[in-house]
């Protein structure tokens, strides 16, 4: 597949003078790398179950000034109490709707580059990170300085609307310095009729830093979504990731965590609710690079209609990484005979003193449990809903922020209700 | 309360019940005993409408209605309850949420108003005392990680919360230590009334030390072959079942 459309758009991009020219060398370098690797095809082992020809062959356009809203968009439907929000609409920052909690520093792309000593992260040249580097058009660089606990969660609300087949490449950098903590929410919403979002998030957690990262993907069922999440963790740091994916036509989360220091710990949770012909893929790599590091992957999918899903969890334990613990659990609930799930939990262990487990189950609703509920007077539909909610609750209950947990419980129940009635 | 006539039931084309007749009147407690594999649990499961049990003959009349035509949930709403021999665990479904949904489903069918969370909690607190369980118990997922005794007590808790007219207790006494057995028996005894009936299925005479049955029946080879009172249970405990087999052979 040639990149011809993307080449045209890339030239356009370089000519837009609102993008800083000093980042152009990085963009060009990334794009030429991408031209070499090309987009993944199903011949690539790690892309075997996900067909992205709608992206590689798509004719997506960069977002123009005209794609920004004429008036401030209405964000009331996405109101979340007790959080500070940054709003990005079709790739355009909505300053008048945005605010951040005290103690949070927002850096420009250039300042951030300086902070990183001119090193631009492209995450080992993964195609979609390269695409993001080439086209990065919005996002945030968030820095939490040493010994700072940010109580108020910070949210980026990404709204995608319109029918112009635009492509947006948000790039989010989050640095949590030593002994600091933050709750970061990214929420993807909107009614776009055709849209491609390729998001890259780079997270760096210094010693004893903590980040709660909540990702809610509920944009329209016509969008293509790539989320590339790269996490680097130093000693004693904790990364808690929680996501709900229920929007999009095609969606893949590429999550890669590097546990680089003793007692670094990551807890990755993902809940998928798919319907119609949606395809939702969770591709997770956790690298235990240091001894005494701990990881957990917990992914559950609920599949309706002829939707399809993938779980690919890979945990790699390096040779010297003794006394680590790693767990992978994938559970899938098929609510239709036409739904299809591919589950592939993998452990690659090169150390000999480790505690690892992995398991995967895919099945229909437990008929015995269903009967049990019916025998107590609950009708079949309500019993089903109770069980599906119960299945999801195991993931929903892992949200560490009580208010947000409540909001998501409610939202999830409403979504499920609509699907089951 | 319930009248079972010539009930024949097959599982996967194998006939298990071969013509069961039983009449239970309001307020009565009937005990059904029998060896393993004689069809005791089949009888319990077919009455609550478990799909894999196929009725090939006979009728079951429950308070004037044809029970066999009703869905499992309608049977429950009409006042039938089974304490399962092996209650299933339902991870993720909160016990309290489940109990409230069940109680409200039954109330709704009776034309009563749904009970709200506050009233429900105070109601369930009272019932928890009756089965000697503490409150943390209802905030756990249904039967998930429960011990054998806890599962059985949870069944009894559901029974006294749903207030059924007829309760079938399928080996509710199996696997219980003596203290748990007493709690379960006491829970049932406190719940007995002139309007409520019980069918107790058991292997052992043990639980009958704490309950007063009106009738004791022996299920053998798919039929209720002998009926009596408490004395019969004592005979069985002492002599086993083979003397009944002999008796049957002589009659046969």
């Amino acid at each position: 597949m040639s990149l011809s459309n993307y080449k045209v758009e890339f030239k356009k991009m370089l000519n837009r003078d609102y993008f800083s020219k000093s980042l152009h060398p990085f963009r060009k370098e990334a794009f030429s790398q991408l031209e070499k690797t090309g987009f993944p095809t199903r011949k690539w082992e790690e892309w075997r179950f996900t067909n992205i020809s709608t992206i590689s062959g798509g004719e997506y356009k960069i977002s123009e000034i005209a794609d920004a809203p004429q008036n401030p968009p209405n964000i009331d439907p996405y109101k979340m109490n007790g959080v500070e929000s940054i709003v990005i609409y079709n790739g355009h920052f909505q300053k008048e709707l945005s605010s951040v909690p005290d103690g949070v520093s927002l850096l420009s792309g250039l300042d951030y580059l300086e902070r990183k000593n001119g090193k631009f992260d492209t995450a080992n040249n993964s195609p979609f990170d390269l695409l993001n580097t080439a086209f990065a058009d919005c996002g945030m660089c968030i820095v939490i300085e040493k010994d700072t606990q940010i109580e108020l969660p910070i949210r980026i609300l990404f709204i995608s609307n319109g029918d112009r087949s635009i492509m947006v490449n948000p790039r989010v950098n989050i640095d949590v310095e030593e002994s600091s903590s933050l709750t970061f929410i990214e929420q993807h919403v909107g009614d776009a009729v055709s849209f491609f979002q390729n998001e890259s998030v780079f997270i760096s957690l210094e010693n004893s830093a903590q980040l709660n990262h909540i990702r809610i993907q509920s944009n329209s069922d016509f969008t293509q979504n790539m989320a590339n999440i790269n996490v680097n963790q130093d000693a004693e740091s904790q990364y808690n990731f929680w996501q709900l994916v229920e929007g999009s036509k095609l969606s893949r989360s590429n999550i890669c965590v590097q546990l680089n220091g003793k007692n670094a710990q990551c807890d990755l949770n993902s809940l998928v609710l798919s319907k119609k012909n949606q395809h939702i893929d969770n591709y997770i790599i956790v690298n235990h690079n240091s001894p005494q590091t701990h990881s957990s992957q917990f992914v559950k999918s609920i599949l309706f209609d002829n939707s399809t899903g993938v779980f690919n969890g890979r945990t790699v334990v390096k040779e010297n990484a003794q006394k680590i613990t790693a767990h992978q659990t994938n559970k899938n609930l098929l609510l239709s005979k036409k739904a299809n799930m591919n589950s592939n939990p993998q452990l690659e262990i090169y150390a000999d003193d480790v505690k690892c487990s992995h398991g995967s189950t895919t099945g229909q609703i437990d008929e015995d449990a269903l009967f049990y509920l019916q025998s107590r007077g609950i009708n079949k539909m309500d019993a089903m809903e109770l069980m599906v909610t119960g299945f999801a609750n195991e993931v929903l209950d892992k949200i560490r922020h009580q208010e947000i947990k409540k909001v998501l419980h409610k939202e999830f129940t409403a979504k499920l209700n609509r699907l089951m009635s | 309360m319930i009248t079972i006539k010539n009930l024949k039931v097959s599982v996967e084309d194998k006939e298990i019940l071969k013509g069961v007749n039983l009449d239970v009147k309001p307020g009565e407690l009937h005990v059904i005993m029998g060896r393993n594999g004689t069809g005791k649990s089949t009888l319990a499961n077919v009455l609550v409408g478990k799909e894999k049990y196929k009725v090939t003959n006979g009728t079951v009349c429950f308070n004037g209605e044809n029970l066999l035509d009703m869905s499992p949930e309608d049977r429950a709403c009409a006042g039938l309850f089974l304490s399962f021999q092996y209650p299933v665990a339902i991870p993720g479904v909160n016990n309290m949420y489940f109990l409230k949904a069940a109680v409200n489903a039954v109330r709704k069918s009776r034309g009563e108003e749904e009970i709200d969370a506050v009233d429900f909690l105070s109601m369930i607190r009272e019932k928890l005392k009756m089965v000697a369980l503490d409150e943390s118990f209802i905030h756990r997922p249904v039967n998930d990680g429960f011990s054998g005794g806890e599962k059985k007590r949870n069944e009894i808790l559901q029974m006294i919360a749903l207030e059924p007219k007829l309760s079938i207790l399928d080996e509710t006494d199996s696997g219980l230590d003596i203290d748990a057995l007493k709690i379960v028996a006491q829970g049932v005894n406190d719940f007995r009334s002139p309007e409520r009936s019980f069918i107790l299925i058991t292997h052992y005479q043990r639980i009958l030390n704490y309950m007063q049955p009106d009738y004791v029946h022996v299920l053998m080879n798919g039929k209720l072959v002998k009926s009596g009172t408490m004395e019969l249970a004592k005979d069985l405990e002492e002599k086993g079942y083979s003397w009944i087999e002999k008796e049957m052979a002589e009659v046969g």
Side-chain angles (χ1 to χ4, degrees), chain B residues 97-112:
Chain B
Y97 194 78
F98 154 64
L99 278 167
K100 188 164 152 270
V103 167
N104 277 332
V106 172
R107 287 177 75 101
K108 222 169 122 186
S109 78
R110 290 193 204 134
E112 295 170 20

Side-chain angles (χ1 to χ4, degrees), chain A residues 307-322:
Chain A
S307 63
T308 51
V310 182
F311 167 74
N312 223 315
R314 219 173 118 207
T315 302
V316 183
V317 184
K318 296 283 160 67
E319 215 169 304
N320 65 329
Q322 305 293 0

Side-chain angles (χ1 to χ4, degrees), chain B residues 189-202:
Chain B
N189 284 336
D190 290 347
F191 189 61
R192 283 193 73 175
S193 81
E195 296 82 40
R196 292 193 185 115
S197 311
F198 297 84
I199 298 174
L200 176 69
I201 293 169
T202 182

Side-chain angles (χ1 to χ4, degrees), chain A residues 145-198:
Chain A
E145 278 163 24
K146 201 177 160 185
D147 292 321
T148 313
Q149 321 309 322
I150 308 292
E151 299 295 333
L152 228 47
I154 177 166
R155 168 177 74 161
I156 304 186
L157 182 63
F158 291 95
I159 306 172
S160 51
N161 270 331
D163 57 1
R164 233 178 46 80
S165 292
I166 58 171
M167 151 174 80
V168 171
N169 285 270
R171 190 176 184 92
V172 179
N173 288 288
I174 302 175
D175 288 10
V176 186
E177 292 186 356
E178 205 176 317
S179 303
S180 297
S181 63
L182 174 72
T183 295
F184 168 68
I185 307 165
E186 45 171 311
Q187 189 175 5
H188 304 268
V189 298
D191 303 314
V193 177
S194 171
F195 187 85
F196 167 36
Q197 176 172 273
N198 178 46

Side-chain angles (χ1 to χ4, degrees), chain A residues 293-328:
Chain A
T293 47
H294 311 282
S295 72
S296 152
Q297 298 170 28
F298 189 55
V299 177
K300 280 191 163 189
S301 296
I302 301 163
L303 297 97
F304 285 85
D305 309 326
N306 47 354
S307 63
T308 51
V310 182
F311 167 74
N312 223 315
R314 219 173 118 207
T315 302
V316 183
V317 184
K318 296 283 160 67
E319 215 169 304
N320 65 329
Q322 305 293 0
K323 300 213 182 315
I324 65 103
T325 54
H327 303 290
Q328 294 177 334

Side-chain angles (χ1 to χ4, degrees), chain A residues 368 372 374 376-377 386 390, chain B residues 50 73 82 97 105 155 158:
Chain A
D368 286 334
Y372 186 81
Q374 283 178 269
R376 298 306 184 235
L386 204 59
Chain B
K50 181 110 186 172
E73 53 266 38
L82 170 63
Y97 194 78
E155 295 292 286
Q158 291 170 42

